[in-house]
Amino acid sequence: MTDTDTTTRTADWSAWQESWDRQQEWYMPDREERFRIMLDMVEALVGPAPRVLDLACGTGSITARLLARLPEATSTGVDLDPALLAIAEGTFAGDERVSFVTADLKDPQWAARLPYDSYDAVLTATALHWLHREPLAALYGQVAELVRDGGVFMNADHMIDDSTPRINAAERAQRHARMDQAKAKGVLDWAEWWQLAARDPLLAEPTARRFEIYGEHAEGDAPSAGWHARVLREKGFGEARPVWCSPSDALVLALK
């Protein structure tokens, strides 16, 4: 491979990483704010050089922001999606602080694939809503075993409080109206982003495998932040509560 080919390949992964971020921001315009709070709490509770597990890491969005903020950190990304992992691996190729593991979080033995038995912090965002309550609760039990004493787990995701249906409906209507306005200006949605990935020579094959695994889109549950905090305490964390929220989403932190 020539130097030009190497540069092109690196630029392609960078472009895909950026494209993924823009597509996700269409759904979550406050995405960077939740990442900022997440990393604030990592630094506050486990220090500037944590060993981190990026759970359901996707393209490595959390890892990228972790290393930019805390360059002495290390990260293990775990995911099953071959296309998003291809982007992550391409983005962080050559960075010894980062490693990736292919594993299915529904597999009871997924944690055995990890390079470490314990982590200072386990972080995840906009991923675990793919799971229903029962497997999610089981996963929280496994996460509690991976987090060291004094370590943290954080999950930023869509969390719905069913006790406020009128508030929820109004928020959803406004959010979707704003999304429609952005879409009219050319923003890519989820389906369009994957259509582009399927046409890219580097991503076509892993994208096809990805759809064999997941189908078009898996829908799990979106229980309230209170549910997440309660279950995390039941599964072995000493403290748990939201540390950030928007009208539709929350960041729940659990301290071991």
Side-chain angles (χ1 to χ4, degrees):
M1 181 180 290
T2 67
D3 290 342
T4 300
D5 289 336
T6 302
T7 301
T8 301
R9 181 173 290 267
T10 301
D12 284 342
W13 294 129
S14 251
W16 277 113
Q17 183 75 250
E18 176 73 13
S19 174
W20 175 260
D21 282 342
R22 300 292 81 76
Q23 178 256 125
Q24 290 287 286
E25 286 169 359
W26 181 62
Y27 296 95
M28 298 165 289
D30 49 20
R31 186 167 178 255
E32 292 301 326
E33 178 70 5
R34 70 189 72 189
F35 286 146
R36 182 184 69 79
I37 298 298
M38 179 181 281
L39 297 178
D40 280 350
M41 299 311 297
V42 167
E43 188 172 16
L45 289 165
V46 296
R51 177 191 292 168
V52 171
L53 177 62
D54 187 350
L55 191 69
C57 64
T59 64
S61 297
I62 289 175
T63 292
R65 288 153 180 81
L66 170 74
L67 298 180
R69 168 80 176 263
L70 303 174
E72 294 181 41
T74 58
S75 177
T76 303
V78 59
D79 208 304
L80 185 62
D81 190 311
L84 299 186
L85 278 174
I87 295 171
E89 290 167 350
T91 299
F92 296 99
D95 192 331
E96 295 182 353
R97 299 170 296 177
V98 184
S99 61
F100 292 100
V101 172
T102 300
D104 184 351
L105 297 182
K106 293 180 181 178
D107 177 356
Q109 303 303 316
W110 70 269
R113 295 174 175 265
L114 300 176
Y116 302 106
D117 294 330
S118 69
Y119 288 85
D120 301 310
V122 177
L123 309 176
T124 189
T126 327
L128 301 189
H129 63 271
W130 286 56
L131 298 176
H132 291 286
R133 282 172 172 80
E134 186 174 341
L136 180 56
L139 178 63
Y140 279 171
Q142 294 172 305
V143 169
E145 294 178 0
L146 286 169
V147 175
R148 67 163 173 84
D149 287 346
V152 298
F153 166 71
M154 279 181 270
N155 178 16
D157 212 337
H158 200 46
M159 299 182 186
I160 300 300
D161 186 339
D162 291 331
S163 70
T164 59
R166 289 183 297 162
I167 295 172
N168 298 348
E171 181 280 327
R172 186 179 186 279
Q174 183 183 60
R175 174 162 42 91
H176 279 265
R178 289 175 175 172
M179 290 169 67
D180 289 344
Q181 291 171 0
K183 187 77 165 57
K185 297 177 181 177
V187 174
L188 291 178
D189 64 17
W190 171 269
E192 290 167 333
W193 190 90
W194 282 109
Q195 289 167 9
L196 285 180
R199 295 197 293 267
D200 185 279
L202 293 171
L203 288 175
E205 189 273 334
T207 295
R209 285 192 286 121
R210 182 244 179 243
F211 280 94
E212 289 175 2
I213 295 169
Y214 293 109
E216 287 300 319
H217 198 288
E219 291 294 345
D221 294 333
S224 69
W227 181 94
H228 288 271
R230 174 178 60 78
V231 172
L232 286 162
R233 288 191 295 268
E234 291 172 354
K235 294 298 182 179
F237 287 92
E239 299 177 12
R241 70 169 177 87
V243 292
W244 173 91
C245 70
S246 73
S248 61
D249 289 35
L251 169 60
V252 172
L253 183 153
L255 181 66
K256 188 73 178 288

